[in-house]
Amino acid sequence: MQLIPAIDLKNGQCVRLKQGLMEQATVFSDSPAKMAQHWLEQGARRLHLVDLNGAFAGEPKNFPAIAEILAAVSAHIPVQLGGGIRDLATIEKYLNLGLTDVIIGTAAVKNPLFVREACRGFAGHIIVGLDAKDGMVAIDGWATVTEHRVADLSQQFEHDGVNSIIYTDIGRDGMMSGVNIEATVNLARAVNIPIIASGGLTNLDDVRALCAVQHEGIAGAITGRAIYEGTIQFNEAQQLADALTAA
């Protein structure tokens, strides 16, 4: 079970949101690159970046900060990024810069053909991020809840060739209320590609709960506010996950 520190970028700063609300941003660092280096030193094996401004604007908005992060850590660990990725040229630009995987979210729902084209052009580097409320997919920075079921779209994107699905429970993201284990397991059972859990990871009990269901197809969990506010010590949590999921 891989725990993945999140670095959410807003106006070049490292922040965390509550339930996806831009006005509910807490700034944790003015130097995202130093933050990335910190998590590398704490034992992170992958980083999760989100261009929050880009997610709302529909195009990259934190490119300088992202470039600095990649320069600092991409030679050591994989880095994935979502937010504002709407065309193949943007994907190519990021991958050439050193990004390992791009995450397609809103664009995947609005334009499924884009996912298919991305998988063909950049096989093995495409992740789809599906954010949901009560099992229904939300888009546009969570501003709009659609009529699409998470499981249905996940099966479609699996067929297209994405390498994994990041599943975020909107109601729990940034709220320190625990992971929605049941919903995450249900989605993992619906597909044959790895699921990365996101939203609500708060303490070591959540790590234990996720590790207990790893065999269902849950490959990792993204953690944000908990590691910034200290309810989880990242290195301790990763060591626990390793011990609980050792082959």
Side-chain angles (χ1 to χ4, degrees), residues 79-100:
V79 182
Q80 62 193 40
L81 167 75
I85 298 172
R86 302 287 193 271
D87 56 63
L88 299 179
T90 298
I91 295 174
E92 184 174 22
K93 183 178 181 180
Y94 276 135
L95 293 179
N96 287 341
L97 196 64
L99 201 71
T100 308

PDB file of all heavy atoms in Angstrom, residues 79-100:
ATOM      1  N   VAL A  79       6.011  11.293 -10.286  1.00  0.00           N
ATOM      2  CA  VAL A  79       5.134  12.402  -9.925  1.00  0.00           C
ATOM      3  C   VAL A  79       3.943  12.400 -10.874  1.00  0.00           C
ATOM      4  O   VAL A  79       4.106  12.284 -12.092  1.00  0.00           O
ATOM      5  CB  VAL A  79       5.862  13.761 -10.026  1.00  0.00           C
ATOM      6  CG1 VAL A  79       4.939  14.896  -9.599  1.00  0.00           C
ATOM      7  CG2 VAL A  79       7.136  13.762  -9.181  1.00  0.00           C
ATOM      8  N   GLN A  80       2.757  12.508 -10.311  1.00  0.00           N
ATOM      9  CA  GLN A  80       1.521  12.576 -11.105  1.00  0.00           C
ATOM     10  C   GLN A  80       0.866  13.926 -10.889  1.00  0.00           C
ATOM     11  O   GLN A  80       1.011  14.530  -9.830  1.00  0.00           O
ATOM     12  CB  GLN A  80       0.572  11.442 -10.715  1.00  0.00           C
ATOM     13  CG  GLN A  80       0.117  11.481  -9.267  1.00  0.00           C
ATOM     14  CD  GLN A  80      -0.547  10.203  -8.807  1.00  0.00           C
ATOM     15  OE1 GLN A  80      -0.112   9.108  -9.164  1.00  0.00           O
ATOM     16  NE2 GLN A  80      -1.615  10.327  -8.000  1.00  0.00           N
ATOM     17  N   LEU A  81       0.125  14.396 -11.900  1.00  0.00           N
ATOM     18  CA  LEU A  81      -0.459  15.731 -11.838  1.00  0.00           C
ATOM     19  C   LEU A  81      -1.828  15.769 -12.477  1.00  0.00           C
ATOM     20  O   LEU A  81      -2.045  15.207 -13.556  1.00  0.00           O
ATOM     21  CB  LEU A  81       0.443  16.733 -12.563  1.00  0.00           C
ATOM     22  CG  LEU A  81      -0.167  18.106 -12.859  1.00  0.00           C
ATOM     23  CD1 LEU A  81      -0.226  18.944 -11.585  1.00  0.00           C
ATOM     24  CD2 LEU A  81       0.602  18.842 -13.937  1.00  0.00           C
ATOM     25  N   GLY A  82      -2.744  16.452 -11.824  1.00  0.00           N
ATOM     26  CA  GLY A  82      -4.052  16.729 -12.394  1.00  0.00           C
ATOM     27  C   GLY A  82      -4.385  18.202 -12.270  1.00  0.00           C
ATOM     28  O   GLY A  82      -3.791  18.920 -11.471  1.00  0.00           O
ATOM     29  N   GLY A  83      -5.360  18.648 -13.076  1.00  0.00           N
ATOM     30  CA  GLY A  83      -5.811  20.029 -13.010  1.00  0.00           C
ATOM     31  C   GLY A  83      -5.511  20.789 -14.284  1.00  0.00           C
ATOM     32  O   GLY A  83      -4.352  21.096 -14.568  1.00  0.00           O
ATOM     33  N   GLY A  84      -6.539  21.057 -15.083  1.00  0.00           N
ATOM     34  CA  GLY A  84      -6.371  21.866 -16.276  1.00  0.00           C
ATOM     35  C   GLY A  84      -5.818  21.138 -17.478  1.00  0.00           C
ATOM     36  O   GLY A  84      -5.374  21.773 -18.436  1.00  0.00           O
ATOM     37  N   ILE A  85      -5.827  19.818 -17.453  1.00  0.00           N
ATOM     38  CA  ILE A  85      -5.305  19.041 -18.588  1.00  0.00           C
ATOM     39  C   ILE A  85      -6.458  18.732 -19.540  1.00  0.00           C
ATOM     40  O   ILE A  85      -7.307  17.892 -19.248  1.00  0.00           O
ATOM     41  CB  ILE A  85      -4.618  17.758 -18.101  1.00  0.00           C
ATOM     42  CG1 ILE A  85      -3.416  18.118 -17.221  1.00  0.00           C
ATOM     43  CG2 ILE A  85      -4.188  16.888 -19.281  1.00  0.00           C
ATOM     44  CD1 ILE A  85      -2.768  16.957 -16.525  1.00  0.00           C
ATOM     45  N   ARG A  86      -6.471  19.439 -20.668  1.00  0.00           N
ATOM     46  CA  ARG A  86      -7.603  19.351 -21.588  1.00  0.00           C
ATOM     47  C   ARG A  86      -7.217  18.988 -23.018  1.00  0.00           C
ATOM     48  O   ARG A  86      -8.075  18.848 -23.871  1.00  0.00           O
ATOM     49  CB  ARG A  86      -8.351  20.703 -21.621  1.00  0.00           C
ATOM     50  CG  ARG A  86      -8.879  21.205 -20.275  1.00  0.00           C
ATOM     51  CD  ARG A  86     -10.067  20.417 -19.796  1.00  0.00           C
ATOM     52  NE  ARG A  86     -10.739  21.090 -18.690  1.00  0.00           N
ATOM     53  CZ  ARG A  86     -10.440  20.932 -17.402  1.00  0.00           C
ATOM     54  NH1 ARG A  86      -9.454  20.103 -17.069  1.00  0.00           N
ATOM     55  NH2 ARG A  86     -11.107  21.579 -16.468  1.00  0.00           N
ATOM     56  N   ASP A  87      -5.906  18.860 -23.287  1.00  0.00           N
ATOM     57  CA  ASP A  87      -5.503  18.548 -24.664  1.00  0.00           C
ATOM     58  C   ASP A  87      -4.207  17.746 -24.670  1.00  0.00           C
ATOM     59  O   ASP A  87      -3.471  17.698 -23.677  1.00  0.00           O
ATOM     60  CB  ASP A  87      -5.350  19.827 -25.494  1.00  0.00           C
ATOM     61  CG  ASP A  87      -4.378  20.816 -24.884  1.00  0.00           C
ATOM     62  OD1 ASP A  87      -3.181  20.483 -24.765  1.00  0.00           O
ATOM     63  OD2 ASP A  87      -4.824  21.924 -24.500  1.00  0.00           O
ATOM     64  N   LEU A  88      -3.915  17.124 -25.809  1.00  0.00           N
ATOM     65  CA  LEU A  88      -2.746  16.259 -25.940  1.00  0.00           C
ATOM     66  C   LEU A  88      -1.443  17.045 -25.856  1.00  0.00           C
ATOM     67  O   LEU A  88      -0.441  16.537 -25.351  1.00  0.00           O
ATOM     68  CB  LEU A  88      -2.812  15.483 -27.265  1.00  0.00           C
ATOM     69  CG  LEU A  88      -4.014  14.550 -27.430  1.00  0.00           C
ATOM     70  CD1 LEU A  88      -3.957  13.861 -28.791  1.00  0.00           C
ATOM     71  CD2 LEU A  88      -4.069  13.505 -26.319  1.00  0.00           C
ATOM     72  N   ALA A  89      -1.453  18.278 -26.324  1.00  0.00           N
ATOM     73  CA  ALA A  89      -0.236  19.094 -26.285  1.00  0.00           C
ATOM     74  C   ALA A  89       0.198  19.356 -24.846  1.00  0.00           C
ATOM     75  O   ALA A  89       1.396  19.334 -24.536  1.00  0.00           O
ATOM     76  CB  ALA A  89      -0.465  20.413 -27.020  1.00  0.00           C
ATOM     77  N   THR A  90      -0.769  19.591 -23.956  1.00  0.00           N
ATOM     78  CA  THR A  90      -0.450  19.809 -22.545  1.00  0.00           C
ATOM     79  C   THR A  90       0.137  18.545 -21.923  1.00  0.00           C
ATOM     80  O   THR A  90       1.111  18.605 -21.162  1.00  0.00           O
ATOM     81  CB  THR A  90      -1.712  20.235 -21.764  1.00  0.00           C
ATOM     82  OG1 THR A  90      -2.192  21.469 -22.297  1.00  0.00           O
ATOM     83  CG2 THR A  90      -1.408  20.410 -20.289  1.00  0.00           C
ATOM     84  N   ILE A  91      -0.432  17.399 -22.257  1.00  0.00           N
ATOM     85  CA  ILE A  91       0.102  16.125 -21.750  1.00  0.00           C
ATOM     86  C   ILE A  91       1.549  15.946 -22.188  1.00  0.00           C
ATOM     87  O   ILE A  91       2.428  15.613 -21.378  1.00  0.00           O
ATOM     88  CB  ILE A  91      -0.756  14.942 -22.238  1.00  0.00           C
ATOM     89  CG1 ILE A  91      -2.168  15.021 -21.646  1.00  0.00           C
ATOM     90  CG2 ILE A  91      -0.097  13.606 -21.876  1.00  0.00           C
ATOM     91  CD1 ILE A  91      -3.116  13.976 -22.180  1.00  0.00           C
ATOM     92  N   GLU A  92       1.795  16.171 -23.467  1.00  0.00           N
ATOM     93  CA  GLU A  92       3.159  15.998 -23.997  1.00  0.00           C
ATOM     94  C   GLU A  92       4.142  16.948 -23.313  1.00  0.00           C
ATOM     95  O   GLU A  92       5.267  16.566 -22.959  1.00  0.00           O
ATOM     96  CB  GLU A  92       3.160  16.237 -25.502  1.00  0.00           C
ATOM     97  CG  GLU A  92       4.508  15.985 -26.162  1.00  0.00           C
ATOM     98  CD  GLU A  92       4.444  16.080 -27.669  1.00  0.00           C
ATOM     99  OE1 GLU A  92       3.510  16.732 -28.195  1.00  0.00           O
ATOM    100  OE2 GLU A  92       5.333  15.498 -28.322  1.00  0.00           O
ATOM    101  N   LYS A  93       3.721  18.188 -23.097  1.00  0.00           N
ATOM    102  CA  LYS A  93       4.574  19.176 -22.451  1.00  0.00           C
ATOM    103  C   LYS A  93       4.951  18.734 -21.042  1.00  0.00           C
ATOM    104  O   LYS A  93       6.121  18.803 -20.648  1.00  0.00           O
ATOM    105  CB  LYS A  93       3.843  20.520 -22.400  1.00  0.00           C
ATOM    106  CG  LYS A  93       4.651  21.664 -21.801  1.00  0.00           C
ATOM    107  CD  LYS A  93       3.852  22.963 -21.843  1.00  0.00           C
ATOM    108  CE  LYS A  93       4.642  24.138 -21.283  1.00  0.00           C
ATOM    109  NZ  LYS A  93       3.862  25.405 -21.336  1.00  0.00           N
ATOM    110  N   TYR A  94       3.975  18.248 -20.288  1.00  0.00           N
ATOM    111  CA  TYR A  94       4.244  17.811 -18.919  1.00  0.00           C
ATOM    112  C   TYR A  94       5.131  16.561 -18.882  1.00  0.00           C
ATOM    113  O   TYR A  94       6.053  16.472 -18.059  1.00  0.00           O
ATOM    114  CB  TYR A  94       2.933  17.532 -18.192  1.00  0.00           C
ATOM    115  CG  TYR A  94       2.281  18.753 -17.586  1.00  0.00           C
ATOM    116  CD1 TYR A  94       0.911  18.983 -17.725  1.00  0.00           C
ATOM    117  CD2 TYR A  94       3.018  19.671 -16.845  1.00  0.00           C
ATOM    118  CE1 TYR A  94       0.288  20.090 -17.149  1.00  0.00           C
ATOM    119  CE2 TYR A  94       2.415  20.778 -16.269  1.00  0.00           C
ATOM    120  CZ  TYR A  94       1.057  20.982 -16.426  1.00  0.00           C
ATOM    121  OH  TYR A  94       0.465  22.077 -15.847  1.00  0.00           O
ATOM    122  N   LEU A  95       4.863  15.606 -19.733  1.00  0.00           N
ATOM    123  CA  LEU A  95       5.661  14.382 -19.733  1.00  0.00           C
ATOM    124  C   LEU A  95       7.104  14.682 -20.136  1.00  0.00           C
ATOM    125  O   LEU A  95       8.042  14.110 -19.572  1.00  0.00           O
ATOM    126  CB  LEU A  95       5.040  13.343 -20.665  1.00  0.00           C
ATOM    127  CG  LEU A  95       3.680  12.777 -20.231  1.00  0.00           C
ATOM    128  CD1 LEU A  95       3.169  11.772 -21.258  1.00  0.00           C
ATOM    129  CD2 LEU A  95       3.754  12.131 -18.851  1.00  0.00           C
ATOM    130  N   ASN A  96       7.279  15.577 -21.091  1.00  0.00           N
ATOM    131  CA  ASN A  96       8.633  15.962 -21.503  1.00  0.00           C
ATOM    132  C   ASN A  96       9.377  16.671 -20.374  1.00  0.00           C
ATOM    133  O   ASN A  96      10.609  16.629 -20.303  1.00  0.00           O
ATOM    134  CB  ASN A  96       8.584  16.863 -22.734  1.00  0.00           C
ATOM    135  CG  ASN A  96       8.214  16.100 -23.996  1.00  0.00           C
ATOM    136  OD1 ASN A  96       8.336  14.875 -24.049  1.00  0.00           O
ATOM    137  ND2 ASN A  96       7.762  16.811 -25.013  1.00  0.00           N
ATOM    138  N   LEU A  97       8.623  17.307 -19.485  1.00  0.00           N
ATOM    139  CA  LEU A  97       9.222  18.035 -18.365  1.00  0.00           C
ATOM    140  C   LEU A  97       9.677  17.096 -17.252  1.00  0.00           C
ATOM    141  O   LEU A  97      10.460  17.479 -16.391  1.00  0.00           O
ATOM    142  CB  LEU A  97       8.211  19.041 -17.815  1.00  0.00           C
ATOM    143  CG  LEU A  97       8.722  20.153 -16.893  1.00  0.00           C
ATOM    144  CD1 LEU A  97       9.671  21.082 -17.645  1.00  0.00           C
ATOM    145  CD2 LEU A  97       7.547  20.955 -16.333  1.00  0.00           C
ATOM    146  N   GLY A  98       9.172  15.867 -17.270  1.00  0.00           N
ATOM    147  CA  GLY A  98       9.570  14.899 -16.254  1.00  0.00           C
ATOM    148  C   GLY A  98       8.430  14.301 -15.463  1.00  0.00           C
ATOM    149  O   GLY A  98       8.642  13.474 -14.570  1.00  0.00           O
ATOM    150  N   LEU A  99       7.205  14.715 -15.775  1.00  0.00           N
ATOM    151  CA  LEU A  99       6.044  14.129 -15.101  1.00  0.00           C
ATOM    152  C   LEU A  99       5.905  12.668 -15.513  1.00  0.00           C
ATOM    153  O   LEU A  99       6.153  12.308 -16.667  1.00  0.00           O
ATOM    154  CB  LEU A  99       4.785  14.915 -15.481  1.00  0.00           C
ATOM    155  CG  LEU A  99       3.585  14.793 -14.544  1.00  0.00           C
ATOM    156  CD1 LEU A  99       3.868  15.516 -13.239  1.00  0.00           C
ATOM    157  CD2 LEU A  99       2.345  15.381 -15.210  1.00  0.00           C
ATOM    158  N   THR A 100       5.495  11.820 -14.570  1.00  0.00           N
ATOM    159  CA  THR A 100       5.329  10.393 -14.869  1.00  0.00           C
ATOM    160  C   THR A 100       3.936  10.090 -15.413  1.00  0.00           C
ATOM    161  O   THR A 100       3.790   9.354 -16.393  1.00  0.00           O
ATOM    162  CB  THR A 100       5.559   9.550 -13.600  1.00  0.00           C
ATOM    163  OG1 THR A 100       6.807   9.915 -13.017  1.00  0.00           O
ATOM    164  CG2 THR A 100       5.553   8.065 -13.926  1.00  0.00           C
TER     165      THR A 100
END
